[in-house]
């Protein structure tokens, strides 16, 4: 792949991480207004669903029109399973964890997944793990640890529970990124994203149907203004756009480097959390951000290491 294509892949990976990172701030705002996790997940995916149905249908129609080979049922099943893992299971763990910790701390814990993904890519897929790549990750995660330590001192006794939930999401998402690459190459990033998101949406709708039935609550409880507003933003800005960018980036530059580019997420989250949520920002946070920016800045040179 040309250097131009690799640069495009890196830009897509960074943009995807930035948009995904705004999710925590939106979720924290909605949680403070009494919206529960399951309702947020429902609105986020339900409002995204029409886009994925239309785009997926167009991709399949084009494939049949050009007589190109359509993916096998096993490939569709793999994409659906990966979608449920990432956009349903990981999302539930992440959103629930944010009930107990701040948006900044959530982002720091969640972004332990790139180092996990890079290592798994090397072990399972034989992708390159260069010294410059390793240094970029080390610098980025030194910054994350610095901010994490400062933040952990100010959270309450439930911090360990929140951190555990978010770390579980990070670990599972690392596996998603690894195994998604193979499936993406078999069916293309656009169709893969559509199938994955549609499957996750069905899982989330089922979850809410069961939850409301068991609690004997009314569906009207999910139609509050904060829930709908947060859902629209989460769907358009924090889900649809970055999900397509992420799949395309993985296809262009690989799972390890896409995950490494995700280190820009804590920077965006910190800025948004401080300005919008009023979360604290001191010397530890500033030092951490500087290290993360330095690490991300080295990513464009990884291929030459």
């Amino acid at each position: 792949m040309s250097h131009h294509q690799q640069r495009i892949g890196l830009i897509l990976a960074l943009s995807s991480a930035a948009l995904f990172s705004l999710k925590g701030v939106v979720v924290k705002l909605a949680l403070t207004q009494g919206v529960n996790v399951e309702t947020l997940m429902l609105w986020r995916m339900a409002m995204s669903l029409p886009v994925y149905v239309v785009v997926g249908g167009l991709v399949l129609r084009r494939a049949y029109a050009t007589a190109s080979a359509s993916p096998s049922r096993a490939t569709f099943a793999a994409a659906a399973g990966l979608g449920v893992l990432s956009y349903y299971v990981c999302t539930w763990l992440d959103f629930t964890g944010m009930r107990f910790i701040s948006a900044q701390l959530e982002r720091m814990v969640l972004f332990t997944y790139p180092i996990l993904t890079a290592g798994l890519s090397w072990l399972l897929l034989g992708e390159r793990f260069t010294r410059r790549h390793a240094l970029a990750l080390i610098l980025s995660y030194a910054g994350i640890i610095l901010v994490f330590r400062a933040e952990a001192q100010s959270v309450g006794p439930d911090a360990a529970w929140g951190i555990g939930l978010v770390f579980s999401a990070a670990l599972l998402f690392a596996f998603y990124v690894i195994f998604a690459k193979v499936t993406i190459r078999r069916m293309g990033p656009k169709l893969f994203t559509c199938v994955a998101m549609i499957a996750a949406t069905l899982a989330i709708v089922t979850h809410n149907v069961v939850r409301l039935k068991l609690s004997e609550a009314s569906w009207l409880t999910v139609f509050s203004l904060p829930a709908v507003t947060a859902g629209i933003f989460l769907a358009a800005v924090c889900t649809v756009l970055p999900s397509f960018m992420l799949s395309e980036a993985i296809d262009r530059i690989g799972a390890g480097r896409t995950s490494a580019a995700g280190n820009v997420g804590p920077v965006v989250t910190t800025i948004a959390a401080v300005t919008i949520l009023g979360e604290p920002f001191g010397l530890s946070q500033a030092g951490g951000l500087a290290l993360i920016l330095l690490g991300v800045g080295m990513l464009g040179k990884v291929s030459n290491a």
Side-chain angles (χ1 to χ4, degrees), residues 4 13 35 64 138 142 145-147 173 178 224 246 252 273 298 302:
H4 176 68
V35 184
Y64 287 126
I138 290 170
I145 292 170
L146 184 61
V147 178
F173 191 74
I178 288 294
S224 67
L246 178 65
R252 289 173 183 267
M298 296 179 63
V302 168

Side-chain angles (χ1 to χ4, degrees), residues 84-196:
V84 171
L85 173 66
S86 175
Y87 297 104
Y88 169 54
V89 178
C90 290
T91 298
W92 185 86
L93 291 168
D94 183 34
F95 281 21
T96 303
M98 275 190 281
R99 292 172 54 198
F100 308 104
I101 58 178
S102 70
Q104 290 184 77
L105 181 56
E106 177 265 349
R107 187 53 44 178
M108 301 307 162
V109 177
L110 187 63
F111 272 78
T112 58
Y113 91 85
I115 192 87
L116 299 173
T117 305
L120 288 172
S121 295
W122 173 59
L123 290 172
L124 301 178
L125 302 180
E127 293 190 1
R128 295 180 64 200
F129 192 88
T130 67
R131 286 175 294 180
R132 190 180 295 274
H133 191 172
L135 181 58
L137 288 172
I138 290 170
L139 287 172
S140 298
Y141 278 92
I144 290 173
I145 292 170
L146 184 61
V147 178
F148 174 86
R149 290 183 62 185
E151 181 72 20
Q153 294 175 1
S154 63
V155 299
D158 290 330
W161 176 238
I163 290 171
L165 288 169
V166 178
F167 179 77
S168 296
L171 181 61
L172 291 177
F173 191 74
F175 279 99
Y176 162 80
V177 174
I178 288 294
F179 292 108
K181 182 177 180 180
V182 177
T183 308
I184 287 171
R185 288 190 171 177
R186 290 175 179 172
M187 65 192 313
K190 289 186 177 64
L191 183 57
F192 168 83
T193 301
C194 292
V195 173

Side-chain angles (χ1 to χ4, degrees), residues 139-140 143 146-147 267 281 283-297:
L139 287 172
S140 298
L146 184 61
V147 178
V267 180
F281 183 81
L283 292 177
S284 295
Q285 287 83 357
L289 284 177
L291 289 172
I292 292 169
L293 288 172
L294 181 58
V296 172

Side-chain angles (χ1 to χ4, degrees), residues 1-15:
M1 185 175 291
S2 68
H3 289 292
H4 176 68
Q5 292 296 322
Q6 291 185 28
R7 284 195 295 272
I8 292 176
L10 181 59
I11 291 172
L12 288 171
L14 292 170
S15 300

Side-chain angles (χ1 to χ4, degrees), residues 216-235:
E216 298 182 353
S218 170
W219 274 91
L220 294 177
T221 59
V222 306
F223 286 94
S224 67
L225 181 59
V228 176
T229 303
I232 292 173
F233 193 90
L234 286 171

